[in-house]
Amino acid sequence: MCGITGWVSYDRDLTTERGTLEAMTRTMAFRGPDAAGIWLDTHAALGHRRLAVIDIEGGKQPMLVEHDGRTLLATTYSGEVYNYRELRAELESHGHTFRTSSDTEVVLHAYLEWGEDFTRRLNGMYAFALWDPRTEELLLVRDRMGIKPLYYWPTSDGVLFGSEPKAILAHPAVRPAVDAEGLAELVGWAKTPGHAVYRGMYELRPGHTARVRRSGLTVRRYWSLEAREHTDDTATTVRHIRELLDDIVTRQLIADVPLCTLLSGGLDSSAITALAAKGLADAGSGPVRSFSVDFTGYTENFKADTLRPTPDGPYAHALAEHVRSDHSDIVLDTAALMDRAHRDAVLNARDMPMGFGDGDTSLYLLFKAIREQSTVALSGESADEVFGGYRWFHDPEAVHSDTFPWVAGGVFDRFAGEQSGAGTSLFDPGFLAKLDLPGYQAARYREALDEISYLPGESGLQRRMREVSYLHLTRFVQLLLDRKDRASMAVGLEVRVPFCDHRLVEYVYNTPWALKTFDGREKSLLRAAVRDVLPDIVADRVKSPYPSTQDPRYAAALGAELRRVLDDKDAPVRPLLDTAGVAQALSGDVGEAFRTGTELVLGLNTWLASYGTALEL
């Protein structure tokens, strides 16, 4: 895994712009701590920071294909193509020769052999740029599910691009500015494919390419979720899902560096850990290493609620004992979660405040601790979106609401701050009116529905659950994949997400909802497919989301920091606040809603101050 950046300009000689490219590339250093590289051509400049995972010695970048002293193709590449060995063998049968054992070189030759249609042959997570000096054209490519990020900024004579916004923002011609639509996107829990929050910047949509020519930039879709008839019965469906998972996990165990799994004790991460343990054992390796996050005193003093009925610890330990993994708990305390340096590191990794609060900070600290012992981790992320695991999948009111189901569930109200019965809000009503968040969410919801294809005659609950699944697989999952990528790459850890393999996603997406819930529970198909490798206590566990600290000192510390912002007349976020409402909220008991709103206010304040972001409302 790596960090990439680059610049195409048809009106200037970029061989004289090394300093700018070096500045852009430096912003990606944490994504690629092992090596740096820059390649300059007259109208193209590519930058790369490398996290070495496969072919440690031979996979240096930017990588070129040359013939008779001419450069045929150059790339700056981030990601992993899991079927690169099969592709390499096929390309060799067509006469291609290779000088490395890296998947990067396979991608270069695949493009030379098959042209832009080579994207249909790739299985993996990736974001990369290909520059063809012969035609002076750039091709940007992003994986089907959007596991790896890729941003671009069209210019009057070309494009700027990077793995993260910060690479583009490092260019002297770019000024960070956000308008009302950008802020609505930031806080609306309606992740819009292609939207990058910053005005003038775009995120390449998952399953898309962008081609840059002298005549301009064109975007093309090469993959999307399409409705297909499912004819397999229950037993066949379960068996095929297990076959897919065995193949996916086996492929994703390939690495030339230490590898581990992320284990919460839930069904998803336990399935991946158990299958990884089995795969390693079958290969004569192992045991699998596994890591969990915990908070000081969390399990001993746990208080169940409607969102989190059980603590993770006992279940993670049960699974680790069952598969005999080499397991470690990463235990965090409130001081670490509140440490300003840690929270600033999270903001820098995200390039904007996302409002996950201690969930972001704890994930960053978990990955930081894991990185001391491992370079690659397998995660259970995205199983809920694929198999229908969230509680609102099974809440008729949320399912049939005329908006995103997770918004209807009210779980993620970014503008929370209400004290029970107090009727207060942290944000100024005029500011909220400018954002028109309900209108923005409604428009994005309608756009998403317009993309969906249906089977002939599909109606009723099956039709609606296809829509709900599509919304999660194209909108909601992007929030979580982006979060996991930034938190992990901020410390140079590569996280792989087996449940995002497009073959599995396509198959389960087209499985009828009645089959997905055949045992009357969430994630019926996944549970049936992996029950044989799990202890019953884990297989039957009710879903519990990623943990959040319950230490009251954390909420109190947030309140104290919010008061300092309120008292600072020069705080950049202050004009956006309802100061009377904030004061009233601070005078009451600190609740969960207040904590969520406060996290967002504090993040916005730091972002506006440190990034110099201009709000153009």
Side-chain angles (χ1 to χ4, degrees):
M1 203 56 54
C2 307
I4 68 172
T5 189
W7 180 11
V8 170
S9 173
Y10 293 107
D11 290 346
R12 66 173 74 197
D13 181 357
L14 294 185
T15 61
T16 65
E17 297 287 350
R18 175 174 289 274
T20 298
L21 252 293
E22 287 177 343
M24 295 170 69
T25 305
R26 274 196 300 272
T27 67
M28 297 290 95
F30 53 90
R31 293 187 71 94
D34 296 329
I38 286 176
W39 180 80
L40 303 176
D41 199 5
T42 304
H43 297 303
L46 306 180
H48 190 267
R49 291 290 314 206
R50 187 180 184 213
L51 176 64
V53 172
I54 294 175
D55 191 4
I56 307 301
E57 293 301 319
K60 296 177 181 178
Q61 295 190 50
M63 187 177 288
L64 312 178
V65 175
E66 297 174 307
H67 181 70
D68 290 338
R70 279 192 317 140
T71 298
L72 302 182
L73 201 60
T75 190
T76 181
Y77 168 92
S78 170
E80 306 289 349
V81 170
Y82 301 122
N83 63 333
Y84 77 99
R85 290 175 172 172
E86 296 98 310
L87 291 174
R88 178 184 176 123
E90 185 175 359
L91 288 164
E92 286 175 332
S93 72
H94 289 294
H96 292 259
T97 58
F98 295 85
R99 57 183 176 80
T100 76
S101 58
S102 71
D103 58 331
T104 305
E105 190 178 12
V106 172
V107 168
L108 284 164
H109 284 267
Y111 178 77
L112 290 173
E113 179 66 28
W114 296 302
E116 194 168 336
D117 282 343
F118 82 124
T119 53
R120 302 180 187 278
R121 296 171 176 264
L122 305 181
N123 178 307
M125 56 178 190
Y126 45 81
F128 56 88
L130 294 170
W131 172 253
D132 188 335
R134 301 165 300 176
T135 61
E136 293 192 325
E137 293 180 5
L138 180 80
L139 184 69
L140 300 175
V141 182
R142 193 174 182 207
D143 67 68
R144 293 171 179 83
M145 289 295 291
I147 305 167
K148 291 292 103 183
L150 184 55
Y151 294 83
Y152 65 95
W153 180 292
T155 65
S156 61
D157 70 327
V159 72
L160 302 167
F161 67 87
S163 293
E164 299 179 11
K166 60 176 60 67
I168 296 170
L169 296 176
H171 192 282
V174 176
R175 183 177 68 96
V178 178
D179 55 20
E181 181 179 289
L183 277 180
E185 176 68 24
L186 178 65
V187 301
W189 283 99
K191 181 77 166 107
T192 306
H195 206 301
V197 175
Y198 290 99
R199 195 169 66 185
M201 188 184 298
Y202 302 88
E203 187 174 30
L204 185 61
R205 292 186 64 153
H208 282 66
T209 62
R211 186 172 288 280
V212 182
R213 302 180 175 95
R214 286 182 179 272
S215 58
L217 184 150
T218 56
V219 176
R220 171 179 171 266
R221 187 185 77 186
Y222 70 87
W223 181 85
S224 65
L225 285 169
E226 300 291 341
R228 300 189 182 112
E229 187 177 2
H230 184 89
T231 58
D232 293 343
D233 61 16
T234 302
T236 304
T237 299
V238 169
R239 183 170 60 253
H240 185 60
I241 288 171
R242 175 56 179 271
E243 290 169 352
L244 282 171
L245 287 172
D246 283 338
D247 179 70
I248 292 164
V249 171
T250 298
R251 289 177 182 276
Q252 297 194 21
L253 290 174
I254 297 173
D256 295 332
V257 292
L259 177 144
C260 68
T261 68
L262 308 178
L263 176 61
S264 70
L267 177 62
D268 315 338
S269 65
S270 296
I272 296 302
T273 299
L275 293 175
K278 181 177 179 297
L280 290 172
D282 290 346
S285 304
V288 66
R289 297 212 65 184
S290 58
F291 292 90
S292 298
V293 67
D294 202 354
F295 303 101
T296 303
Y298 186 80
T299 300
E300 298 84 349
N301 304 302
F302 180 79
K303 295 179 181 178
D305 57 32
T306 56
L307 191 62
R308 296 181 179 88
T310 52
D312 286 346
Y315 298 90
H317 294 161
L319 189 282
E321 182 177 351
H322 184 74
V323 302
R324 298 179 179 174
S325 73
D326 180 4
H327 183 75
S328 300
D329 291 323
I330 307 300
V331 182
L332 308 176
D333 59 22
T334 296
L337 294 174
M338 280 303 301
D339 188 295
R340 181 62 181 268
H342 295 156
R343 292 167 63 206
D344 286 352
V346 169
L347 179 65
N348 182 64
R350 300 296 293 268
D351 284 316
M352 58 194 73
M354 297 303 295
F356 283 90
D358 73 280
D360 268 349
T361 311
S362 64
L363 194 65
Y364 165 78
L365 292 172
L366 168 66
F367 290 158
K368 185 178 182 182
I370 291 174
R371 184 61 177 87
E372 295 176 0
Q373 305 176 61
S374 189
T375 307
V376 174
L378 271 62
S379 167
E381 195 76 84
S382 307
D384 287 306
E385 290 80 6
V386 174
F387 290 97
Y390 295 115
R391 62 180 176 84
W392 50 81
F393 270 94
H394 310 274
D395 176 358
E397 184 175 344
V399 164
H400 294 291
S401 62
D402 194 26
T403 187
F404 297 104
W406 55 91
V407 173
V411 178
F412 301 111
D413 183 0
R414 296 283 194 116
F415 287 115
E418 298 276 344
Q419 294 298 313
S420 179
T424 61
S425 174
L426 302 182
F427 290 93
D428 177 71
F431 166 63
L432 297 180
K434 287 181 179 179
L435 293 193
D436 184 21
L437 193 55
Y440 184 79
Q441 289 175 331
R444 303 292 80 79
Y445 174 68
R446 294 297 167 198
E447 287 175 359
L449 292 184
D450 287 344
E451 298 172 3
I452 303 174
S453 66
Y454 303 91
L455 293 176
E458 197 166 40
S459 61
L461 181 62
Q462 172 57 30
R463 179 185 176 95
R464 180 54 182 165
M465 294 314 297
R466 179 180 295 282
E467 293 174 346
V468 170
S469 295
Y470 186 90
L471 294 172
H472 281 82
L473 290 168
T474 62
R475 268 64 178 177
F476 191 76
V477 76
Q478 287 298 302
L479 293 165
L480 303 182
L481 291 175
D482 188 69
R483 170 179 180 249
K484 186 145 285 183
D485 172 83
R486 302 312 169 77
S488 60
M489 294 308 295
V491 297
L493 176 71
E494 175 180 304
V495 173
R496 299 175 177 176
V497 279
F499 288 115
C500 278
D501 186 290
H502 70 279
R503 298 169 298 163
L504 179 68
V505 172
E506 290 172 343
Y507 185 77
V508 179
Y509 174 68
N510 282 298
T511 302
W513 181 247
L515 200 52
K516 291 179 183 176
T517 55
F518 74 87
D519 66 357
R521 292 195 58 188
E522 81 288 351
K523 292 185 284 195
S524 306
L525 292 173
L526 176 59
R527 184 177 293 103
V530 298
R531 180 176 279 279
D532 66 302
V533 294
L534 303 178
D536 288 342
I537 188 177
V538 172
D540 294 326
R541 185 188 181 193
V542 176
K543 178 177 175 57
S544 187
Y546 183 83
S548 179
T549 180
Q550 295 184 340
D551 188 342
R553 292 174 297 178
Y554 181 76
L558 287 177
E561 190 167 343
L562 178 61
R563 185 171 296 282
R564 286 193 290 272
V565 170
L566 185 65
D567 292 340
D568 181 1
K569 306 297 184 187
D570 297 322
V573 77
R574 202 171 185 276
L576 308 181
L577 302 180
D578 177 353
T579 54
V582 173
Q584 184 178 353
L586 285 168
S587 67
D589 293 332
V590 175
E592 185 66 26
F594 169 84
R595 183 169 134 179
T596 303
T598 298
E599 297 273 22
L600 179 58
V601 169
L602 298 178
L604 282 169
N605 193 61
T606 303
W607 179 52
L608 294 172
S610 60
Y611 272 67
T613 307
L615 291 184
E616 299 180 353
L617 307 179

